[in-house]
Amino acid sequence: MQASYAAVGRPGRVLLALSGGVDSVVLLHALVSLRKLEGFVLSAVHVHHGLRAEADADAEFVQVLCAQLDVKVVVVRVQVGPGNLEAEARDARYRVLHAQAQQEDADVIALAHHADDQVETILMHWMRGAGGQGLAGMRELSGNLWRPLLTLPRAHLENAAKEIGAAWCEDASNQDVTLTRNALRHRVLPELRAIWPGFETSVARAARLAAMDEDWAEHEAALWLERHASQHPACLFVPVEACTQLMPSLQRRVLRRMCGHLGFVPDMDLTDRLMQLLQVPDGSINLLGGARAVRTDTRLHFVPQHPVLLQPGSLHMEAQTAQMGTAQGRWQVFDLEGVSGAVLRLPQAGDYIAPLGMQGTQKLSKYLSGRGVDEPLRRHVPVLALGSDVRWAVGVGLSQYAAVSPATRNRVQLMYSGRLPWDTDRAVKEELLDG
């Protein structure tokens, strides 16, 4: 117990999820003993689901027990809606735990999951066709969820409770074999133990190996995204060419992580559709929550239902180093009269530009399209404009009304500082380092 406490960083405030069952009662006693050695603040929360006749008695039991052990406890009542009661109760329980942890400024939430729970969880994930993350099971520390008993079997906890004379509550619903977890516990696991005694140890070892592989693969996916993609909320995209060269397993992780920025994790079928979309130029598919995935010639964009805007950077004058400048770069030399009074902003309805080298004007949207700016990025292109008259679309091109000509009397060189919509995270980082 002390080793696990040290491994998770010796948290100063611990909130225990206390159901009153044997596992959480043993963990309560263990934490009380550890508190004497480490001096952390210990509190508990009991979630009253109101689903069983014994629920009131369980709540009273944990209150009396905590009073005896000098542990502050809060009982929170929740209402579980219709549907999958097991899943609804679990979701409600975790909402309470996280809310209470935030209210108490707890560093970790201690959960009493043990080795038998781990085996059941992994088997359930396996039956659902989970990948490496699911087969890795639960972690000792996941976010702020701490599971110090994860390597101990339930029988060990029951023996420990009897040795210290601790009482606990029995949840009659744990005998309901119509629930998947209970069916595994009472019907499947005994058969597996008979076939392969101590198989739980083998499952735990397999889970640790899967967890190490999972951590490595996730690290590789995150590293690839940092090097090649844009993970800015306004401009989420991966480059198609580089992404299609990835091994399928890494490609899946990259696409799933990009969906994570939109607030969901895609299932296998949706991930398959995203992989197929990489092969279809100018295609798109609907994602969850009203989001879209849009494939252009060179990028796969992840567009939220309500896109946020990329805020424009800034312009500053520089000593003139060239006669004309770079129309598609971050700096440009202008006819001073052509940009006097112009404002840096994002595109607006009605904007137009008089493209350099062409006659007349064009709608800005058509101009950006013709210059190869992907549709999801066009709303984010910073422009220097006089009213609706765009004199410079930064990084794209400038207006003939702002271009240097033989009649130009005064020139000004402007430099744009800030992220452009097609910048990758690595490009932005390198620009900051260069600056």
Side-chain angles (χ1 to χ4, degrees):
M1 186 72 187
Q2 195 165 11
S4 180
Y5 178 76
V8 298
R10 287 192 160 82
R13 290 181 176 270
V14 177
L15 175 66
L16 169 65
L18 182 60
S19 67
V22 63
D23 43 8
S24 65
V25 167
V26 169
L27 181 54
L28 172 63
H29 282 277
L31 288 172
V32 168
S33 297
L34 186 60
R35 179 178 61 177
K36 297 175 183 177
L37 298 174
E38 298 287 350
F40 56 83
V41 177
L42 175 62
S43 61
V45 58
H46 175 83
V47 182
H48 188 311
H49 298 96
L51 296 176
R52 298 180 296 109
E54 306 91 345
D56 289 337
D58 291 350
E60 183 178 353
F61 169 80
V62 299
Q63 288 174 306
V64 171
L65 178 60
C66 287
Q68 293 171 347
L69 298 175
D70 191 26
V71 174
K72 172 192 169 185
V73 63
V74 175
V75 175
V76 180
R77 294 176 178 266
V78 297
Q79 287 189 339
V80 179
N84 185 331
L85 284 181
E86 191 176 14
E88 291 285 342
R90 180 187 181 280
D91 290 345
R93 183 164 59 252
Y94 276 94
R95 284 195 297 271
V96 169
L97 293 177
H98 287 295
Q100 191 65 28
Q102 185 175 17
Q103 183 175 331
E104 296 188 16
D105 198 24
D107 298 301
V108 293
I109 301 169
L111 303 175
H113 293 129
H114 46 72
D116 293 44
D117 292 326
Q118 178 76 304
V119 171
E120 293 162 9
T121 298
I122 291 170
L123 287 176
M124 290 174 69
H125 289 170
W126 173 67
M127 290 189 297
R128 292 169 181 161
Q133 183 176 1
L135 298 180
M138 297 178 285
R139 307 295 185 97
E140 181 180 15
L141 183 67
S142 178
N144 66 341
L145 301 178
W146 175 36
R147 301 179 176 92
L149 306 181
L150 204 52
T151 61
L152 301 177
R154 177 183 171 85
H156 179 96
L157 301 180
E158 289 180 346
N159 290 336
K162 293 173 183 177
E163 287 178 5
I164 62 175
W168 66 84
C169 302
E170 290 288 355
D171 184 349
S173 67
N174 287 335
Q175 305 302 315
D176 182 1
V177 294
T178 63
L179 301 177
T180 302
R181 184 178 290 275
N182 291 340
L184 288 172
R185 181 178 303 162
H186 298 296
R187 296 167 58 182
V188 177
L189 295 189
E191 291 293 330
L192 289 175
R193 291 189 185 99
I195 296 170
W196 194 284
F199 85 99
E200 297 97 328
T201 302
S202 299
V203 172
R205 181 169 60 248
R208 287 196 299 273
L209 292 172
M212 287 189 286
D213 288 345
E214 179 71 15
D215 289 343
W216 174 82
E218 282 298 300
H219 172 75
E220 289 298 303
L223 194 61
W224 187 91
L225 287 169
E226 289 176 6
R227 291 173 175 170
H228 298 279
S230 169
Q231 299 176 87
H232 190 285
C235 307
L236 293 166
F237 65 78
V238 295
V240 170
E241 183 177 1
C243 194
T244 53
Q245 293 174 0
L246 293 173
M247 294 291 291
S249 60
L250 186 55
Q251 189 181 107
R252 297 183 73 88
R253 290 178 184 276
V254 162
L255 297 175
R256 286 167 62 86
R257 288 180 74 94
M258 290 300 290
C259 288
H261 291 299
L262 297 175
F264 70 92
V265 178
D267 60 15
M268 185 173 182
D269 291 340
L270 185 52
T271 306
D272 287 342
R273 292 176 61 203
L274 284 167
M275 294 178 71
Q276 294 167 5
L277 184 60
L278 283 170
Q279 311 299 328
V280 183
D282 299 322
S284 67
I285 61 173
N286 293 326
L287 302 176
L288 301 182
R292 294 182 303 133
V294 178
R295 164 72 151 86
T296 62
D297 285 344
T298 58
R299 300 179 185 90
L300 178 61
H301 298 269
F302 295 78
V303 186
Q305 181 180 18
H306 304 293
V308 297
L309 293 176
L310 181 65
Q311 294 304 311
S314 60
L315 289 175
H316 59 272
M317 288 189 295
E318 290 191 332
Q320 188 174 332
T321 57
Q323 293 297 310
M324 298 298 292
T326 57
Q328 295 186 347
R330 296 176 179 273
W331 65 273
Q332 179 63 51
V333 177
F334 298 93
D335 184 311
L336 179 58
E337 292 183 7
V339 294
S340 294
V343 175
L344 184 68
R345 59 168 174 79
L346 293 178
Q348 299 175 356
D351 280 350
Y352 63 89
I353 188 171
L356 184 62
M358 295 178 59
Q359 296 293 322
T361 62
Q362 273 188 345
K363 289 183 177 180
L364 179 63
S365 57
K366 183 177 180 180
Y367 174 74
L368 294 176
S369 175
R371 299 301 293 264
V373 179
D374 290 350
E375 186 275 331
L377 303 181
R378 293 171 199 162
R379 65 172 64 90
H380 306 295
V381 177
V383 296
L384 186 63
L386 284 166
S388 297
D389 186 352
V390 173
R391 298 301 171 94
W392 185 30
V394 181
V396 182
L398 75 160
S399 164
Q400 59 183 307
Y401 300 143
V404 173
S405 72
T408 298
R409 292 179 296 178
N410 296 296
R411 296 180 174 86
V412 61
Q413 181 168 314
L414 298 179
M415 178 70 182
Y416 178 82
S417 297
R419 188 180 190 121
L420 291 174
W422 43 83
D423 283 344
T424 62
D425 296 342
R426 184 174 186 176
V428 173
K429 185 176 181 180
E430 289 175 349
E431 183 192 359
L432 291 174
L433 291 175
D434 292 341

